[in-house]
Amino acid sequence: MDLAKPVTSPMSASVKLTLADGPDFEDPTLYRSTVGSLQYLSLTRPDVAYAVNKVCQFMHTPKTPHWQAVKRILRYLKHTAHLGLHIKPSSDYSLHAFTDADWAGCPDDRRSTGGFCIFLGPNLVSWGSKKQSTIACSTTEAEYKALANTTAELL
């Protein structure tokens, strides 16, 4: 990875990972270990939370394209090591929350993934990305479920 080509995003927008993507990855233990480490890293790097969430969905039977997605995250991290959370003092104690969902974004089970970020003043204090537990019948329903999850986090 020392000579890895830099990338500007942790995951390609055009790639849709599925359970039947290609040949099995030859070392599932390496995959699980690397993705497990990325899960810990996403606690301080919200910019990779969505991508890590996606590759975590294939821990039981990783395929070669899934490993390529993990390597892309690592290439992104190598070239953005200077990024991180910056907490600055502020007298602004207002809460601001943002949420979004991709309707039926998973091609395997047609479930949506919702994400949120919550700011206290100018500081990011909470964030997350999670596949929704039920199938949404419309984009409005997927967005509503994401909003409900964000509201629960706020409370």
Side-chain angles (χ1 to χ4, degrees):
M1 297 296 303
D2 286 339
L3 303 174
K5 187 176 173 184
V7 291
T8 58
S9 65
M11 180 171 262
S12 173
S14 63
V15 172
K16 294 285 187 192
L17 298 174
T18 66
L19 291 172
D21 261 346
D24 289 342
F25 182 59
E26 63 274 356
D27 190 358
T29 305
L30 173 64
Y31 183 89
R32 291 181 190 113
S33 173
T34 306
V35 172
S37 298
L38 288 173
Q39 283 181 302
Y40 282 108
L41 182 66
S42 69
L43 295 174
T44 58
R45 292 288 302 264
D47 52 334
V48 298
Y50 178 80
V52 171
N53 174 284
K54 281 299 183 190
V55 296
C56 282
Q57 296 174 20
F58 307 103
M59 293 272 242
H60 53 289
T61 54
K63 307 286 185 183
T64 303
H66 305 150
W67 178 245
Q68 291 168 345
V70 170
K71 289 195 307 187
R72 181 182 174 103
I73 297 169
L74 294 172
R75 288 172 43 210
Y76 171 78
L77 289 170
K78 181 183 184 309
H79 296 287
T80 58
H82 62 283
L83 296 179
L85 290 178
H86 299 284
I87 307 292
K88 42 189 155 194
S90 173
S91 59
D92 181 9
Y93 295 111
S94 60
L95 281 173
H96 300 279
F98 302 90
T99 185
D100 196 13
D102 67 338
W103 177 49
C106 180
D108 295 318
D109 59 10
R110 306 304 296 161
R111 290 194 292 169
S112 307
T113 300
F116 67 90
C117 59
I118 299 172
F119 290 84
L120 177 62
N123 299 309
L124 181 65
V125 294
S126 182
W127 62 91
S129 175
K130 183 179 178 185
K131 190 186 273 192
Q132 294 178 352
S133 57
T134 58
I135 298 171
C137 295
S138 67
T139 184
T140 304
E141 185 179 348
E143 296 284 350
Y144 180 78
K145 288 177 182 183
L147 181 62
N149 290 340
T150 304
T151 303
E153 180 72 17
L154 275 168
L155 295 174

